[in-house]
Amino acid sequence: MTSNENGHPRTLFEKVWENHLVKPQTPDTPAVLYIDLHLVHEVTSPQAFTQLREQNLKVRRPDRTMATMDHSTPTTPKNSLGIIPVTDSMAAAQLDVMRKNCADFGIPLYDLGTENQGIVHVIGPEQGLTQPGMTIVCGDSHTSTHGAFGALAFGIGTSEVAHVLATQCLLQSRPKTMAVRVDGRLNQAVTAKDIILAIIAQIGVGGGTGYVFEYMGEAIRALSMEGRMTICNMSIEGGARAGMVAPDETTFQYVAGKPYAPKGAEWDRAVAGWRKLPTDDGATFDHEIVLDADKLTPMITYGTNPGMGMPINSYVPDPDKLSDVSQKVALDKALTYMGLQPGQKLVGQPVDVVFVGSCTNSRITDLREAARFIEGRKVASNVRMMVVPGSQQVKRQAEAEGLDKVFKEAGAEWREAGCSMCIAMNGDQLQPGQYAVSTSNRNFEGRQGKGGRTFLASPLTAVASAINGVVTDPREMTN
Amino acid sequence: MEPVRKFSGRLAPLPINDIDTDQIIPARYLKVTDKNGLGQACFSDWRYNADGSPKADFILNKPEYQGTSVLIGGHNFGCGSSREHAPWALMGAGFKAVISTYFADIFRNNSLKNGLLPVVVDEETHRQLISLAEEDPTTEVVVDLESQTVTLPDGRAVNFPVDAFSRYCLLNGVDQLGFLMGLDEQIEKYEAGNPARVQTVFS
């Protein structure tokens, strides 16, 4: 599996791609790629199941398919019957359709309120469904998260959801590869989130279009699996459908013992195979960028896409200083929407809401860091702080460690698992004009509620801002 | 699916860079379980005031741009969420093609599956088309998938790329799923040689 028959050194991406070719690309047809794991959620799948019914098709491999509910689900507490009430009739109807589709087609469903339900990109890894070397797809652009394990994982549309349900295959043109090397070591209070925000600020939201990223270098190796997931998660915000990290001991330790992980002799065989996945010496990429982790500071976004980010102590850029007319127009529009002035600092900007959650930053390590930072302190009186665990399992683990009490004592809300305010289609949302520091992945206009204004940042920056009631550099508060 | 071949249409200029799919169709409209009826919500937050009345200065609300069928966006059109509701909404709003200098990968794939043509042109043509559309709302272009050209009012035909397979499927009105279904034997062979690492359903 290292190099191919010709001894040609290969990248991690090339190995996973070539291992899954049912039919290679020709001048007339794209490659046919076999999909090992298909994750399904309630929002992007109903029309795909309708197509299957219309054409009288079955799901080819329900055993390689898993469904959950996360996007349109409320995160309000369970009622006295132990049920999370869904008061939005359209959302309730959509969840019922998901239940019926899973029952009719034999797909396992992690239903709302059940013990392992959660955000699709949190539960795949925690169940051990996500493993190195796999191909993983989902009707969700943040499927790139799973690339942290050395899987090729990317988001697809609903037509492609139908393709995978019916055939377990996808038609794909081969993407280009970009090495994203992060050398050096992170300073105190600088996190994986700051790395990826810095990368996107450098390349822009379209910079990775057509590419699969491979993140490498000392700073990436030093990260936990959760940190690597945070980085791979936001690959799509740089335009890349997928981002990958070569598997190593950190990866194997994370996967070991998970419910769906291989056991016993199978585990040893699996690890031996996974060790052959990393990019060979001498393999080449179509493009390469390099960052120095030592020079990174906490990052924050000031605009209306994730590429509009800067070091937290910087000043909001001035559209008049841009030479490209279309960029000037875009920045003007963004600053008007955000209600910000060119040249102002964001530090000190009043904040209405702080959101800790989403498939980017809702895992147990994120919550531990946030809790450690807020323990013994209080959320400022002008701030609503929401902490939304990524899954029921994360929630249980956090509660076992007493993190829920830390958040509640500080004045934050502790909620049920789901996408929550990252997507604002489930009741959790900003009011028009409100400012949020959010650990999620998108600051698009209206993303967190119509008229809402989002500053994307790390959990540490979010917590520091919640305590002070204004955007705050977490290095000022490190304990 | 209806075949897509050649059509002429008027242009709606929306020269904003990085138009994300959250703008094309905000998430709160994604609680539907079919593809229909999303046209009204297309660009909802840019198109309507808080009380639901149309914003007079938004391009798609201007009387002279009613009935346009080719949208020109800024660079990097369709970034962000993978929601296929974005092409469904654009088609529901009457668009048959979108012109940009480049498209986000997932949006482009989704559009081609539905017969919404993502037309990539060079920056100069892009600028020229935006100027023409802004100056004269009656400006028409001809989009021809067979020859992969968009023809400007001055008669200049500009080529645009489309992968051969998508082009074949669109010209013939063929759903791509049919091609995959025809590969059953090869898929079985692959599966026989590559046992599953993960089985979510235990028998």
Side-chain angles (χ1 to χ4, degrees):
Chain A
M1 199 155 52
T2 40
S3 51
N4 68 11
E5 305 90 68
N6 306 323
H8 173 67
R10 296 186 296 166
T11 63
L12 166 63
F13 162 77
E14 287 174 295
K15 293 178 192 183
V16 180
W17 176 267
E18 288 168 15
N19 284 349
H20 290 86
L21 284 178
V22 172
K23 188 174 177 297
Q25 195 162 327
T26 72
D28 294 327
T29 53
V32 177
L33 202 63
Y34 195 81
I35 302 304
D36 290 321
L37 178 65
H38 186 193
L39 308 169
V40 178
H41 67 78
E42 75 278 17
V43 172
T44 57
S45 65
Q47 299 85 351
F49 284 106
T50 300
Q51 187 182 353
L52 261 57
R53 284 199 177 88
E54 285 170 358
Q55 299 185 21
N56 202 20
L57 301 172
K58 293 186 302 186
V59 172
R60 183 182 178 92
R61 300 304 299 256
D63 57 332
R64 300 185 190 200
T65 310
M66 182 275 274
T68 190
M69 300 174 170
D70 51 7
H71 283 65
S72 62
T73 55
T75 64
T76 41
K78 290 181 180 174
N79 64 18
S80 55
L81 302 170
I83 292 166
I84 298 169
V86 183
T87 53
D88 178 331
S89 60
M90 280 189 82
Q94 193 175 54
L95 298 176
D96 283 340
V97 167
M98 177 93 273
R99 290 183 186 106
K100 178 164 170 44
N101 286 335
C102 288
D104 288 358
F105 289 92
I107 295 169
L109 171 66
Y110 294 76
D111 203 339
L112 182 61
T114 58
E115 62 175 0
N116 292 318
Q117 176 264 344
I119 304 175
V120 64
H121 310 309
V122 175
I123 68 177
E126 78 185 10
Q127 292 299 312
L129 291 164
T130 302
Q131 295 173 23
M134 291 175 87
T135 46
I136 302 174
V137 297
C138 174
D140 190 291
S141 62
H142 293 113
T143 308
S144 57
T145 309
H146 307 264
F149 292 80
L152 175 60
F154 52 90
I156 57 177
T158 299
S159 295
E160 291 176 319
V161 169
H163 293 184
V164 180
L165 288 173
T167 69
Q168 204 60 27
C169 290
L170 266 184
L171 290 153
Q172 290 292 300
S173 298
R174 182 177 163 138
K176 294 178 286 185
T177 54
M178 190 186 300
V180 180
R181 207 174 79 226
V182 189
D183 293 328
R185 293 166 63 172
L186 289 173
N187 290 305
Q188 196 183 23
V190 184
T191 68
K193 182 66 165 285
D194 302 302
I195 293 179
I196 188 63
L197 286 173
I199 291 167
I200 301 165
Q202 180 175 324
I203 66 171
V205 285
T209 305
Y211 288 94
V212 167
F213 291 159
E214 183 181 337
Y215 301 101
M216 55 180 71
E218 186 187 357
I220 302 295
R221 286 288 134 225
L223 290 173
S224 66
M225 286 313 296
E226 288 87 350
R228 295 177 189 181
M229 283 189 256
T230 297
I231 289 183
C232 289
N233 172 274
M234 288 187 72
S235 302
I236 185 65
E237 312 311 335
R241 284 180 78 182
M244 306 173 82
V245 175
D248 60 10
E249 296 308 319
T250 305
T251 320
F252 307 146
Q253 277 175 27
Y254 181 98
V255 177
K258 294 278 189 288
Y260 286 96
K263 307 282 187 300
E266 269 190 51
W267 169 259
D268 296 334
R269 269 199 300 278
V271 172
W274 296 341
R275 286 189 196 283
K276 296 175 186 166
L277 286 169
T279 294
D280 301 327
D281 288 341
T284 55
F285 292 82
D286 296 301
H287 191 69
E288 180 171 351
I289 61 167
V290 182
L291 272 83
D292 187 348
D294 296 274
K295 292 185 183 141
L296 294 181
T297 69
M299 295 286 293
I300 194 160
T301 62
Y302 53 83
T304 52
N305 71 47
M308 295 179 175
M310 64 181 191
I312 193 162
N313 277 312
S314 295
Y315 301 88
V316 172
D318 185 347
D320 288 338
K321 291 183 179 157
L322 294 175
S323 53
D324 181 282
V325 176
S326 70
Q327 283 182 16
K328 177 176 147 43
V329 170
L331 183 54
D332 253 331
K333 187 177 188 311
L335 296 188
T336 302
Y337 180 85
M338 293 297 291
L340 299 174
Q341 299 302 316
Q344 80 164 88
K345 274 201 143 188
L346 276 193
V347 169
Q349 173 77 26
V351 172
D352 304 295
V353 174
V354 167
F355 172 63
V356 175
S358 86
C359 57
T360 314
N361 280 124
S362 65
R363 296 180 181 83
I364 189 68
T365 51
D366 297 313
L367 302 191
R368 281 180 192 141
E369 277 187 28
R372 186 175 54 78
F373 218 63
I374 207 168
E375 189 159 19
R377 291 167 165 150
K378 291 283 181 198
V379 174
S381 59
N382 60 308
V383 171
R384 175 191 186 194
M385 179 171 169
M386 298 169 71
V387 183
V388 184
S391 69
Q392 290 294 336
Q393 186 173 309
V394 169
K395 183 166 183 272
R396 277 195 303 279
Q397 176 69 28
E399 288 171 353
E401 297 176 19
L403 307 185
D404 58 323
K405 288 194 186 67
V406 172
F407 289 122
K408 285 190 271 194
E409 277 165 20
E413 297 171 33
W414 176 248
R415 301 180 69 98
E416 294 293 327
C419 298
S420 185
M421 200 184 270
C422 177
I423 190 151
M425 61 179 293
N426 43 48
D428 298 347
Q429 62 192 68
L430 297 176
Q431 298 306 308
Q434 281 191 321
Y435 285 101
V437 177
S438 177
T439 69
S440 56
N441 41 57
R442 287 186 174 137
N443 51 347
F444 298 146
E445 288 184 31
R447 171 77 182 190
Q448 296 198 278
K450 191 173 177 177
R453 296 149 160 177
T454 301
F455 302 126
L456 298 176
S458 74
L460 293 185
T461 301
V463 169
S465 303
I467 294 163
N468 283 352
V470 296
V471 172
T472 300
D473 184 341
R475 292 171 299 181
E476 287 170 17
M477 301 184 69
T478 303
N479 51 11
Chain B
M1 198 165 76
E2 288 292 307
V4 176
R5 295 195 179 108
K6 182 175 181 177
F7 56 89
S8 60
R10 286 190 295 121
L11 299 164
L14 193 58
I16 297 167
N17 290 349
D18 307 313
I19 292 179
D20 59 80
T21 54
D22 273 87
Q23 305 318 309
I24 299 170
I25 180 85
R28 61 183 182 278
Y29 297 107
L30 308 189
K31 292 176 222 164
V32 294
T33 53
D34 65 14
K35 304 176 182 181
N36 302 316
L38 294 169
Q40 276 303 311
C42 189
F43 291 112
S44 173
D45 290 357
W46 290 354
R47 198 164 152 198
Y48 305 111
N49 294 305
D51 65 0
S53 61
K55 290 183 181 176
D57 61 348
F58 185 62
I59 194 79
L60 301 185
N61 292 332
K62 293 184 179 176
E64 60 272 32
Y65 288 98
Q66 298 306 303
T68 51
S69 60
V70 179
L71 184 70
I72 317 178
H75 312 310
N76 189 31
F77 189 93
C79 61
S81 158
S82 60
R83 61 191 68 169
E84 198 160 318
H85 308 68
W88 297 337
L90 287 163
M91 295 181 82
F95 293 106
K96 295 177 176 177
V98 182
I99 299 177
S100 178
T101 51
Y102 68 103
F103 290 88
D105 292 325
I106 305 177
F107 176 82
R108 192 194 60 236
N109 284 345
N110 287 344
S111 296
L112 287 167
K113 303 270 189 315
N114 289 277
L116 177 72
L117 283 185
V119 176
V120 173
V121 296
D122 60 275
E123 290 203 18
E124 196 188 322
T125 304
H126 186 245
R127 268 195 300 272
Q128 191 185 350
L129 283 168
I130 290 166
S131 302
L132 283 168
E134 286 178 340
E135 284 160 19
D136 181 1
T138 68
T139 302
E140 275 200 356
V141 292
V142 178
V143 179
D144 185 354
L145 179 60
E146 177 94 56
S147 62
Q148 294 181 232
T149 54
V150 53
T151 306
L152 279 60
D154 64 5
R156 184 164 71 97
V158 179
N159 279 94
F160 62 87
V162 181
D163 74 273
F165 183 71
S166 296
R167 179 171 168 275
Y168 171 84
C169 290
L170 290 172
L171 285 171
N172 296 286
V174 176
D175 190 310
Q176 298 190 5
L177 177 55
F179 174 78
L180 284 173
M181 293 300 297
L183 296 177
D184 200 45
E185 268 181 39
Q186 277 168 278
I187 300 170
E188 264 179 32
K189 197 174 150 205
Y190 179 89
E191 286 176 331
N194 294 273
R197 284 209 209 94
V198 162
Q199 297 213 334
T200 63
V201 181
F202 293 106
S203 49

